[in-house]
Each structure stands twice: as structure tokens, then as C-alpha cells.
Amino acid sequence: MLQEIQEFGSHAMDIYDYLLAGVDPRLKDYPLMQSPVPMTAILLCYLFFVLYLGPRIMANRKPFQLKEAMIVYNFLLVALSIFIVYEFLMSGWATTYTWRCDAIDTSDSPQALRMVRVAWLFWFSKIIELIDTIFFVLRKKHSQITFLHIFHHSFMPWTWWWGVGYAPGGMGSFHAMVNSSVHVVMYFYYGLAAAGPSFQKFLWWKKYMTAIQLIQFVLVSLHATQYYFMDSCDYQFPMIIHLIWMYGTFFFVLFSNFWIQAYVKGKRLPKQDIKQCQNGTAVYTNGKYHENGKHHENGTSNGITHGVTNGTSNGSAHHENGSAHMGKMKKA
């Protein structure tokens, strides 16, 4: 039994060494690119914190506000994403690439090395974006920590480490450029949202953020699909194209489900949105109940009011119109 374990370990190490041997030598001096172990350790620590340790630490604490930190963080990511898009364009997509079958330039030319650098920077930006979830945990926004969010933030950095390591450039980098373009818009929105209620009037386009994400995955899948209809293509790593196609299709399904749940069924409506009753006498804003000029705290932690039925003497709203009025509120 011990001998079998040793043989298995030996084979595993052989496979590991074989995989590392395929990493582009131009990346050997870049941080975290010498081995997938540090990157994997970072992601495991991330999952442990956001799924277990963080919620336990915050269980009996008040949520942090972190307004200033979030504003700075989001607008720094806007600037970083703009820079990444520009570098992808200048490294090939706006200069020498055909937008069809584009092979990886494995030379040490300035443009090829520029592509290697921006490919690594794109991957490293995914590590930075893990802070998104940490903010959710510290602010106790547990409803935002969904399967889609966790899977996207952990799966993409892990797979892209291998993508950057083996194929820094070529047609496989198209989805990285598109993703960074989307993040310019996305983090700009988050930055405005973090600035406070005074900027809410500029955020009417939140619904279209998901639409932009869906368009992204359609573009990525269509671009990858070209490969299957070409008579010949000298792109060096077809496996990357297969993975990108599956990635685009899979996330299109996940984000489509989010769109349906949020905007068709209304199960994930924005918490800051105003819910106004059909009779116009009551509105709910940011977890507070307002009726005929009166203001009442509803006591809910997530900013969504589920109805107020107690008398005014205990701080809740009294519904003068009785059950008919309550029925209208439920309908709304």
C-alpha cells in the first residue's frame, strides 16, 4: 500500500513538472508565475474567509461603512481596466491582429513582450478583484455573496493563470480584452453607487449592466466559434479556444438566470430602489417606511420592507384603509 502511494505521488509530480515545463519562459520573472501553488493558496484562503471565517468574525459586529475605501478602490480599477484595454489594443488587437486566427507571437520583440506583460496584468487584476467579496463580508451584504459571484471570482483567476502561462496573446486573449472593457463600465457604476444617495439618480442604468455582461459572453463565444469553421489555423493552443468557448457559454447561462430572477421575476431587486404602493400613499426607501408625510423605521436589516401591520403606538405604520389597503400593498 505504501509503495502504491509513493508511485502515485511520483506520477503526480511527473505530471506537475510536465505542466510547469509548458509555461512560457518569458513569464518566469513575473510575480506568482513560478508555480500555480501560491495562486491556488490565495484562492483557497479567499474561499475560506468569505464562506466561513469572515461571516463568523462579523456575526456579532456592526457592518463597516467603508465608503471612502470603496470609492477609491472602484475608480482605481476603472483606471487599471482602461490601461489594460489600451495595452491589449497596442499589443496586437489594434495593430497586427486580424481578429480571426491570430497566433501567439513567441518572440522577444517589444510588441510580443508587451502582450505578455498585459496578459499577466489582466490575470493579476483578477486577484485584486477578490477584494469585492471581502467588502461584501465586512459590510454584511450577505445577499450579494451568491454562487455566481463566488464561482466567477475564484474560477476565472485559477484558469487564467494557466491561460497566461501557456498562451499570453493570440486569439485567446480576445476575451480578456472584452472583459476589461466591461469592467471599465462596471467599476465606474460601483464607484458612483459607493458615493452615496446623492448619486442614485445617475444609476438608472443598473439593469443594463447585466445586459452588457451577456453581450460580452456572446461576443467571446462567437469569436471562439470562428476557430471551428476555419480550414486551417496556426494558433498554438486549441485547448484554450475550447475552454474559452465553454467559459463564454456557461457564464452566459448563469448570467441569463440572474437576469430572469432579477428583472423578470423581481426576486433580486436593488435594495435602494423605491417600492411605491399603487395607491400612492406609501413608499419604501432604503429600508424606511414613509406614509402621508410620516417616517417610520421598519427594523429590517436588508433594506427591504415586508409590510407593516402594527399600530402607530409601537413605531409602526397604522393602515387606515384596513384590509383593502393591505391587499393593495401586497399586490404592489
Coordinates of all heavy atoms in Angstrom, one line a residue, residues 3-84:
Q3 N 3.9 1.5 -1.0 CA 4.6 1.6 -2.3 C 3.7 2.2 -3.4 O 4.1 3.0 -4.2 CB 5.1 0.2 -2.7 CG 5.9 0.2 -4.0 CD 6.4 -1.2 -4.4 OE1 6.2 -2.1 -3.7 NE2 7.1 -1.2 -5.5
E4 N 2.4 1.8 -3.3 CA 1.4 2.3 -4.3 C 1.3 3.8 -4.1 O 1.2 4.6 -5.1 CB 0.1 1.6 -4.2 CG 0.1 0.1 -4.6 CD -1.2 -0.5 -4.3 OE1 -2.1 0.1 -3.7 OE2 -1.3 -1.7 -4.8
I5 N 1.2 4.3 -2.9 CA 1.1 5.7 -2.6 C 2.3 6.4 -3.1 O 2.2 7.5 -3.7 CB 0.9 5.9 -1.1 CG1 -0.4 5.3 -0.6 CG2 0.9 7.4 -0.8 CD1 -0.7 5.4 0.9
Q6 N 3.5 5.9 -2.9 CA 4.7 6.5 -3.4 C 4.7 6.6 -4.9 O 5.2 7.6 -5.5 CB 5.9 5.7 -2.8 CG 6.1 5.9 -1.3 CD 7.3 5.0 -0.8 OE1 7.7 4.0 -1.5 NE2 7.8 5.3 0.3
E7 N 4.3 5.5 -5.5 CA 4.2 5.5 -7.0 C 3.2 6.6 -7.5 O 3.5 7.3 -8.5 CB 3.8 4.2 -7.5 CG 4.9 3.1 -7.3 CD 4.5 1.7 -7.8 OE1 3.3 1.6 -8.2 OE2 5.3 0.8 -7.8
F8 N 2.1 6.7 -6.8 CA 1.1 7.7 -7.2 C 1.7 9.1 -7.1 O 1.5 9.9 -7.9 CB -0.2 7.5 -6.4 CG -1.2 8.6 -6.7 CD1 -2.0 8.5 -7.8 CD2 -1.3 9.7 -5.8 CE1 -3.0 9.5 -8.0 CE2 -2.2 10.7 -6.0 CZ -3.1 10.6 -7.1
G9 N 2.4 9.3 -5.9 CA 3.0 10.6 -5.7 C 4.0 10.9 -6.7 O 4.2 12.1 -7.2
S10 N 4.8 9.9 -7.1 CA 5.8 10.1 -8.1 C 5.2 10.5 -9.5 O 5.7 11.4 -10.2 CB 6.7 8.9 -8.3 OG 7.7 9.0 -9.3
H11 N 4.1 9.8 -9.9 CA 3.5 10.1 -11.1 C 2.9 11.5 -11.1 O 2.9 12.2 -12.1 CB 2.4 9.1 -11.4 CG 2.9 7.7 -11.8 ND1 3.9 7.5 -12.7 CD2 2.6 6.5 -11.3 CE1 4.2 6.3 -12.8 NE2 3.4 5.6 -12.0
A12 N 2.3 11.9 -9.9 CA 1.7 13.2 -9.8 C 2.7 14.3 -10.0 O 2.5 15.3 -10.6 CB 1.0 13.3 -8.4
M13 N 3.9 14.1 -9.4 CA 5.0 15.0 -9.5 C 5.5 15.1 -10.9 O 5.8 16.2 -11.4 CB 6.1 14.7 -8.6 CG 5.8 14.9 -7.1 SD 5.4 16.7 -6.8 CE 6.9 17.5 -7.3
D14 N 5.5 14.0 -11.6 CA 5.9 14.0 -13.0 C 5.0 14.8 -13.9 O 5.4 15.6 -14.7 CB 6.0 12.6 -13.6 CG 7.2 11.8 -13.0 OD1 8.1 12.4 -12.5 OD2 7.1 10.5 -13.0
I15 N 3.7 14.7 -13.6 CA 2.7 15.4 -14.3 C 2.8 16.9 -14.0 O 2.7 17.8 -14.9 CB 1.2 14.9 -14.0 CG1 1.1 13.5 -14.5 CG2 0.2 15.9 -14.6 CD1 -0.2 12.9 -14.0
Y16 N 3.0 17.2 -12.7 CA 3.2 18.6 -12.3 C 4.4 19.2 -13.0 O 4.3 20.4 -13.5 CB 3.3 18.7 -10.8 CG 3.6 20.0 -10.2 CD1 2.6 20.9 -10.1 CD2 4.9 20.4 -9.8 CE1 2.8 22.2 -9.6 CE2 5.1 21.6 -9.3 CZ 4.1 22.5 -9.2 OH 4.3 23.8 -8.6
D17 N 5.5 18.5 -13.0 CA 6.7 19.1 -13.7 C 6.5 19.2 -15.2 O 7.0 20.2 -15.8 CB 7.9 18.1 -13.4 CG 8.3 18.1 -12.0 OD1 8.0 19.1 -11.3 OD2 9.0 17.1 -11.6
Y18 N 5.7 18.3 -15.8 CA 5.4 18.4 -17.2 C 4.6 19.6 -17.5 O 4.8 20.4 -18.5 CB 4.7 17.1 -17.6 CG 4.2 17.2 -19.1 CD1 5.1 17.0 -20.1 CD2 2.9 17.5 -19.4 CE1 4.6 17.1 -21.4 CE2 2.4 17.5 -20.7 CZ 3.3 17.3 -21.7 OH 2.9 17.4 -23.0
L19 N 3.6 19.9 -16.6 CA 2.7 21.1 -16.8 C 3.5 22.4 -16.7 O 3.4 23.3 -17.5 CB 1.6 21.0 -15.9 CG 0.5 19.9 -16.1 CD1 -0.5 19.9 -14.9 CD2 -0.2 20.1 -17.4
L20 N 4.4 22.4 -15.7 CA 5.2 23.6 -15.5 C 6.2 23.8 -16.6 O 6.5 25.0 -16.9 CB 6.0 23.5 -14.1 CG 5.2 23.8 -12.9 CD1 6.1 23.8 -11.7 CD2 4.5 25.2 -13.0
A21 N 6.6 22.8 -17.2 CA 7.6 22.9 -18.3 C 7.0 23.6 -19.5 O 7.7 24.2 -20.3 CB 8.1 21.5 -18.7
G22 N 5.6 23.6 -19.6 CA 5.0 24.2 -20.7 C 4.7 25.7 -20.6 O 4.3 26.4 -21.5
V23 N 5.0 26.2 -19.4 CA 4.7 27.7 -19.1 C 5.7 28.5 -19.9 O 6.9 28.2 -20.0 CB 4.9 27.9 -17.6 CG1 4.8 29.5 -17.3 CG2 3.8 27.2 -16.8
D24 N 5.2 29.6 -20.5 CA 6.1 30.4 -21.3 C 7.3 31.0 -20.5 O 7.1 31.6 -19.5 CB 5.2 31.6 -21.8 CG 5.9 32.4 -22.9 OD1 7.0 32.8 -22.8 OD2 5.2 32.6 -24.0
P25 N 8.5 30.7 -21.0 CA 9.7 31.2 -20.2 C 9.8 32.7 -20.1 O 10.5 33.1 -19.2 CB 10.8 30.6 -21.1 CG 10.3 30.4 -22.5 CD 8.8 30.0 -22.3
R26 N 9.1 33.4 -20.9 CA 9.1 34.9 -20.8 C 8.4 35.4 -19.5 O 8.5 36.5 -19.1 CB 8.5 35.5 -22.0 CG 9.2 35.3 -23.3 CD 8.5 35.8 -24.5 NE 7.2 35.1 -24.7 CZ 6.3 35.5 -25.6 NH1 6.6 36.4 -26.5 NH2 5.2 34.8 -25.8
L27 N 7.7 34.5 -18.8 CA 6.9 34.8 -17.6 C 7.6 34.4 -16.3 O 7.1 34.6 -15.2 CB 5.5 34.2 -17.7 CG 4.5 34.9 -18.6 CD1 3.4 33.9 -19.0 CD2 3.9 36.1 -18.0
K28 N 8.8 33.8 -16.5 CA 9.4 33.2 -15.3 C 9.7 34.2 -14.2 O 9.8 33.9 -13.0 CB 10.7 32.5 -15.7 CG 11.8 33.4 -16.3 CD 13.0 32.5 -16.6 CE 14.1 33.4 -17.2 NZ 15.3 32.7 -17.5
D29 N 9.9 35.5 -14.6 CA 10.3 36.5 -13.6 C 9.1 37.3 -13.1 O 9.3 38.2 -12.2 CB 11.4 37.5 -14.1 CG 12.7 36.7 -14.4 OD1 13.0 35.8 -13.6 OD2 13.4 37.1 -15.4
Y30 N 7.9 37.0 -13.6 CA 6.7 37.7 -13.1 C 6.2 37.2 -11.8 O 6.3 36.0 -11.5 CB 5.6 37.6 -14.2 CG 5.8 38.5 -15.3 CD1 6.6 38.2 -16.4 CD2 5.1 39.7 -15.4 CE1 6.8 39.1 -17.5 CE2 5.2 40.6 -16.5 CZ 6.1 40.3 -17.5 OH 6.2 41.1 -18.6
P31 N 5.7 38.0 -10.9 CA 5.2 37.6 -9.6 C 4.1 36.5 -9.7 O 3.2 36.6 -10.6 CB 4.6 38.9 -9.0 CG 5.4 40.0 -9.6 CD 5.6 39.5 -11.0
L32 N 4.3 35.5 -8.9 CA 3.3 34.4 -8.7 C 3.2 33.5 -10.0 O 2.2 32.7 -10.1 CB 1.9 35.0 -8.4 CG 1.7 35.8 -7.2 CD1 0.3 36.4 -7.1 CD2 2.0 35.0 -5.9
M33 N 4.1 33.6 -10.9 CA 4.1 32.8 -12.1 C 5.1 31.6 -12.1 O 5.1 30.8 -13.1 CB 4.3 33.6 -13.3 CG 3.2 34.6 -13.6 SD 1.6 33.9 -13.8 CE 1.8 32.8 -15.2
Q34 N 5.8 31.4 -11.0 CA 6.8 30.4 -11.0 C 6.1 29.0 -10.7 O 6.7 28.0 -11.1 CB 7.9 30.6 -9.9 CG 8.8 31.8 -10.2 CD 8.1 33.1 -10.1 OE1 7.3 33.3 -9.2 NE2 8.5 34.0 -11.0
S35 N 5.0 29.1 -10.1 CA 4.2 27.8 -9.8 C 2.8 28.2 -9.5 O 2.5 29.3 -9.1 CB 4.9 27.2 -8.5 OG 4.0 26.2 -7.9
P36 N 1.8 27.3 -9.8 CA 0.4 27.5 -9.5 C 0.1 27.4 -8.0 O -1.0 27.7 -7.6 CB -0.3 26.5 -10.3 CG 0.7 25.3 -10.4 CD 2.0 26.0 -10.5
V37 N 1.0 27.0 -7.2 CA 0.7 26.7 -5.8 C 0.4 28.0 -5.1 O -0.6 28.1 -4.3 CB 1.9 26.0 -5.1 CG1 1.7 25.9 -3.6 CG2 2.1 24.6 -5.7
P38 N 1.2 29.1 -5.2 CA 0.8 30.4 -4.5 C -0.5 30.9 -4.9 O -1.3 31.3 -4.0 CB 2.0 31.3 -4.8 CG 3.1 30.4 -5.2 CD 2.5 29.2 -5.8
M39 N -0.8 30.9 -6.2 CA -2.1 31.3 -6.7 C -3.2 30.5 -6.1 O -4.3 31.0 -5.7 CB -2.1 31.3 -8.2 CG -3.4 31.5 -8.9 SD -4.4 30.0 -9.2 CE -3.3 29.0 -10.2
T40 N -3.1 29.2 -6.1 CA -4.1 28.3 -5.5 C -4.3 28.5 -4.1 O -5.4 28.5 -3.6 CB -3.7 26.8 -5.8 OG1 -3.5 26.6 -7.2 CG2 -4.8 25.9 -5.3
A41 N -3.2 28.8 -3.3 CA -3.3 29.1 -1.9 C -4.1 30.4 -1.6 O -4.9 30.4 -0.7 CB -1.9 29.1 -1.3
I42 N -3.8 31.4 -2.5 CA -4.5 32.6 -2.3 C -6.0 32.4 -2.5 O -6.9 32.9 -1.7 CB -4.0 33.7 -3.3 CG1 -2.6 34.1 -3.0 CG2 -4.9 34.9 -3.4 CD1 -1.9 35.0 -4.0
L43 N -6.4 31.7 -3.5 CA -7.8 31.4 -3.8 C -8.5 30.6 -2.7 O -9.6 30.8 -2.3 CB -8.0 30.8 -5.1 CG -7.6 31.6 -6.3 CD1 -7.7 30.8 -7.6 CD2 -8.4 32.9 -6.4
L44 N -7.8 29.6 -2.2 CA -8.3 28.8 -1.1 C -8.5 29.7 0.2 O -9.5 29.5 0.9 CB -7.4 27.6 -0.8 CG -7.4 26.5 -1.8 CD1 -6.3 25.4 -1.5 CD2 -8.7 25.9 -2.0
C45 N -7.6 30.5 0.5 CA -7.7 31.5 1.6 C -8.9 32.4 1.4 O -9.6 32.7 2.4 CB -6.4 32.3 1.8 SG -5.0 31.3 2.5
Y46 N -9.0 32.9 0.2 CA -10.2 33.7 -0.2 C -11.5 33.0 0.1 O -12.4 33.5 0.8 CB -10.1 34.1 -1.6 CG -11.4 34.6 -2.3 CD1 -11.8 35.9 -2.1 CD2 -12.1 33.7 -3.1 CE1 -13.0 36.3 -2.7 CE2 -13.2 34.1 -3.8 CZ -13.7 35.4 -3.5 OH -14.9 35.8 -4.1
L47 N -11.6 31.8 -0.4 CA -12.9 31.0 -0.1 C -13.1 30.7 1.3 O -14.2 30.8 1.8 CB -12.8 29.7 -0.9 CG -12.8 29.8 -2.4 CD1 -12.6 28.4 -3.1 CD2 -14.2 30.4 -2.9
F48 N -12.0 30.4 2.1 CA -12.2 30.2 3.5 C -12.7 31.4 4.2 O -13.5 31.3 5.1 CB -10.8 29.7 4.1 CG -10.9 29.5 5.6 CD1 -11.5 28.4 6.1 CD2 -10.2 30.4 6.4 CE1 -11.6 28.2 7.5 CE2 -10.2 30.2 7.8 CZ -10.9 29.1 8.3
F49 N -12.2 32.6 3.9 CA -12.5 33.8 4.5 C -14.0 34.2 4.2 O -14.7 34.5 5.1 CB -11.6 34.9 4.2 CG -12.0 36.2 4.8 CD1 -11.6 36.5 6.1 CD2 -12.7 37.2 4.1 CE1 -11.9 37.7 6.7 CE2 -13.1 38.4 4.7 CZ -12.7 38.7 6.0
V50 N -14.3 34.2 2.9 CA -15.7 34.7 2.6 C -16.8 33.8 2.9 O -17.9 34.2 3.1 CB -15.7 35.1 1.1 CG1 -14.6 36.2 0.8 CG2 -15.5 33.9 0.2
L51 N -16.5 32.5 3.0 CA -17.5 31.5 3.2 C -17.6 31.1 4.7 O -18.7 30.6 5.1 CB -17.3 30.3 2.3 CG -17.4 30.5 0.8 CD1 -17.1 29.2 0.1 CD2 -18.8 31.0 0.4
Y52 N -16.5 31.2 5.4 CA -16.6 30.8 6.8 C -16.0 31.8 7.8 O -16.8 32.3 8.7 CB -15.8 29.5 6.9 CG -15.7 28.9 8.3 CD1 -16.8 28.3 8.9 CD2 -14.5 29.1 9.1 CE1 -16.7 27.8 10.2 CE2 -14.5 28.6 10.4 CZ -15.6 28.0 11.0 OH -15.5 27.5 12.2
L53 N -14.8 32.1 7.7 CA -14.1 32.9 8.7 C -14.7 34.4 8.8 O -15.1 34.8 9.9 CB -12.6 33.0 8.5 CG -11.8 33.8 9.5 CD1 -11.9 33.2 10.9 CD2 -10.3 33.9 9.1
G54 N -14.9 35.0 7.6 CA -15.4 36.4 7.6 C -16.8 36.5 8.2 O -17.0 37.3 9.1
P55 N -17.8 35.7 7.8 CA -19.1 35.8 8.4 C -19.1 35.5 9.9 O -19.9 36.1 10.7 CB -19.9 34.7 7.7 CG -19.2 34.6 6.3 CD -17.8 34.8 6.6
R56 N -18.2 34.6 10.4 CA -18.1 34.3 11.8 C -17.6 35.5 12.6 O -18.0 35.9 13.7 CB -17.3 33.1 12.1 CG -18.0 31.8 11.7 CD -17.0 30.6 12.0 NE -16.8 30.5 13.5 CZ -17.6 29.8 14.3 NH1 -18.6 29.1 13.8 NH2 -17.3 29.7 15.6
I57 N -16.6 36.2 12.0 CA -16.0 37.4 12.6 C -17.0 38.5 12.7 O -17.1 39.2 13.7 CB -14.7 37.8 11.9 CG1 -13.6 36.8 12.0 CG2 -14.3 39.2 12.4 CD1 -12.4 37.1 11.2
M58 N -17.8 38.7 11.7 CA -18.8 39.8 11.6 C -20.1 39.4 12.2 O -21.0 40.3 12.3 CB -19.0 40.2 10.1 CG -17.7 40.7 9.4 SD -17.1 42.2 10.2 CE -18.5 43.3 10.1
A59 N -20.3 38.2 12.7 CA -21.6 37.8 13.2 C -22.2 38.7 14.2 O -23.4 39.1 14.2 CB -21.6 36.4 13.7
N60 N -21.4 39.1 15.2 CA -21.8 40.0 16.3 C -21.3 41.4 16.2 O -21.2 42.1 17.2 CB -21.4 39.3 17.6 CG -22.1 38.0 17.8 OD1 -23.3 37.8 17.5 ND2 -21.3 37.0 18.3
R61 N -20.9 41.8 15.1 CA -20.4 43.1 14.9 C -21.2 43.9 13.9 O -21.9 43.4 13.1 CB -18.9 43.1 14.3 CG -17.9 42.6 15.3 CD -16.5 42.5 14.6 NE -15.4 42.3 15.6 CZ -15.1 41.1 16.0 NH1 -15.7 40.0 15.6 NH2 -14.1 41.0 16.9
K62 N -21.2 45.2 14.1 CA -21.9 46.1 13.1 C -21.2 46.1 11.8 O -19.9 46.1 11.8 CB -22.0 47.5 13.7 CG -23.0 47.6 14.9 CD -23.1 49.0 15.4 CE -24.0 49.1 16.6 NZ -24.2 50.5 17.1
P63 N -21.9 46.3 10.7 CA -21.2 46.3 9.4 C -20.4 47.6 9.2 O -20.7 48.6 9.7 CB -22.4 46.3 8.4 CG -23.6 46.8 9.2 CD -23.4 46.3 10.6
F64 N -19.2 47.4 8.6 CA -18.4 48.6 8.3 C -19.0 49.4 7.2 O -19.6 48.8 6.3 CB -17.0 48.1 7.9 CG -16.2 47.5 9.1 CD1 -16.2 46.1 9.2 CD2 -15.5 48.3 9.9 CE1 -15.4 45.5 10.3 CE2 -14.8 47.7 11.0 CZ -14.7 46.3 11.2
Q65 N -18.8 50.7 7.1 CA -19.3 51.5 6.1 C -18.4 51.5 4.8 O -18.8 51.2 3.7 CB -19.5 52.9 6.6 CG -20.5 53.1 7.7 CD -21.9 52.5 7.3 OE1 -22.4 52.8 6.2 NE2 -22.5 51.7 8.2
L66 N -17.1 51.8 5.1 CA -16.1 51.7 4.0 C -16.3 52.5 2.8 O -15.9 52.1 1.7 CB -15.9 50.2 3.6 CG -15.5 49.2 4.7 CD1 -15.5 47.8 4.2 CD2 -14.2 49.5 5.4
K67 N -17.1 53.6 2.9 CA -17.5 54.4 1.8 C -16.3 54.9 1.0 O -16.1 54.7 -0.2 CB -18.4 55.5 2.2 CG -18.8 56.5 1.1 CD -19.6 57.6 1.6 CE -20.0 58.6 0.5 NZ -20.8 59.7 1.0
E68 N -15.4 55.6 1.7 CA -14.2 56.2 1.0 C -13.3 55.1 0.4 O -12.8 55.3 -0.7 CB -13.4 57.0 2.0 CG -14.1 58.3 2.5 CD -15.1 58.0 3.6 OE1 -15.2 56.8 4.1 OE2 -15.9 58.9 3.9
A69 N -13.1 54.0 1.1 CA -12.3 52.9 0.6 C -12.9 52.4 -0.7 O -12.1 52.1 -1.6 CB -12.1 51.8 1.7
M70 N -14.2 52.2 -0.7 CA -14.8 51.6 -1.9 C -14.8 52.5 -3.1 O -14.6 52.1 -4.2 CB -16.3 51.2 -1.5 CG -16.4 50.1 -0.5 SD -18.1 49.8 -0.1 CE -18.8 49.4 -1.7
I71 N -14.9 53.8 -2.8 CA -14.8 54.8 -3.9 C -13.5 54.7 -4.6 O -13.3 54.7 -5.8 CB -15.2 56.2 -3.4 CG1 -16.6 56.3 -3.0 CG2 -14.9 57.2 -4.5 CD1 -17.0 57.6 -2.3
V72 N -12.4 54.8 -3.7 CA -11.1 54.8 -4.2 C -10.8 53.5 -4.9 O -10.2 53.4 -6.1 CB -10.1 55.0 -3.1 CG1 -8.6 54.7 -3.5 CG2 -10.2 56.4 -2.5
Y73 N -11.2 52.4 -4.3 CA -10.9 51.0 -4.9 C -11.6 50.9 -6.3 O -11.0 50.5 -7.3 CB -11.5 50.0 -4.0 CG -11.6 48.6 -4.6 CD1 -10.5 47.8 -4.7 CD2 -12.9 48.1 -4.9 CE1 -10.6 46.5 -5.3 CE2 -13.0 46.8 -5.5 CZ -11.9 46.0 -5.6 OH -12.0 44.8 -6.2
N74 N -12.9 51.3 -6.4 CA -13.6 51.1 -7.7 C -13.0 52.0 -8.8 O -12.9 51.5 -9.9 CB -15.1 51.4 -7.5 CG -15.8 50.3 -6.7 OD1 -15.8 49.1 -7.2 ND2 -16.4 50.6 -5.6
F75 N -12.7 53.2 -8.5 CA -12.2 54.1 -9.5 C -10.7 53.8 -9.9 O -10.3 54.0 -11.0 CB -12.3 55.6 -9.1 CG -13.7 56.1 -9.3 CD1 -14.5 56.4 -8.2 CD2 -14.3 56.2 -10.5 CE1 -15.8 56.8 -8.3 CE2 -15.6 56.6 -10.7 CZ -16.4 56.9 -9.6
L76 N -10.0 53.2 -9.0 CA -8.6 52.7 -9.3 C -8.8 51.5 -10.3 O -8.0 51.4 -11.2 CB -7.9 52.3 -8.1 CG -7.3 53.4 -7.2 CD1 -6.6 52.8 -6.0 CD2 -6.2 54.2 -8.1
L77 N -9.8 50.7 -10.1 CA -10.0 49.5 -11.0 C -10.5 50.0 -12.4 O -10.2 49.4 -13.4 CB -11.0 48.5 -10.4 CG -10.4 47.5 -9.4 CD1 -11.4 46.6 -8.8 CD2 -9.3 46.7 -10.1
V78 N -11.2 51.1 -12.4 CA -11.6 51.7 -13.7 C -10.4 52.1 -14.4 O -10.2 51.8 -15.6 CB -12.5 52.9 -13.4 CG1 -12.7 53.7 -14.8 CG2 -13.9 52.5 -12.9
A79 N -9.5 52.8 -13.8 CA -8.2 53.3 -14.4 C -7.4 52.1 -14.9 O -6.8 52.1 -16.0 CB -7.4 54.2 -13.4
L80 N -7.3 51.1 -14.0 CA -6.5 49.9 -14.4 C -7.1 49.2 -15.6 O -6.4 48.7 -16.5 CB -6.4 48.9 -13.2 CG -5.7 47.6 -13.4 CD1 -4.2 47.9 -13.8 CD2 -5.8 46.7 -12.2
S81 N -8.4 49.1 -15.6 CA -9.1 48.4 -16.7 C -8.9 49.1 -18.0 O -8.7 48.5 -19.1 CB -10.6 48.2 -16.4 OG -10.8 47.4 -15.3
I82 N -9.0 50.5 -18.0 CA -8.7 51.3 -19.2 C -7.3 51.0 -19.7 O -7.1 50.9 -20.9 CB -8.9 52.8 -18.9 CG1 -10.4 53.0 -18.6 CG2 -8.4 53.6 -20.0 CD1 -10.7 54.5 -18.1
F83 N -6.3 51.0 -18.8 CA -5.0 50.8 -19.2 C -4.8 49.4 -19.8 O -4.1 49.2 -20.8 CB -4.1 50.9 -17.9 CG -2.6 50.6 -18.2 CD1 -1.8 51.6 -18.9 CD2 -2.0 49.4 -17.8 CE1 -0.5 51.3 -19.2 CE2 -0.7 49.2 -18.1 CZ 0.1 50.1 -18.8
I84 N -5.4 48.4 -19.2 CA -5.3 47.0 -19.8 C -5.9 46.9 -21.2 O -5.3 46.3 -22.1 CB -6.0 46.0 -18.8 CG1 -5.2 45.9 -17.5 CG2 -6.2 44.7 -19.5 CD1 -5.9 45.0 -16.5

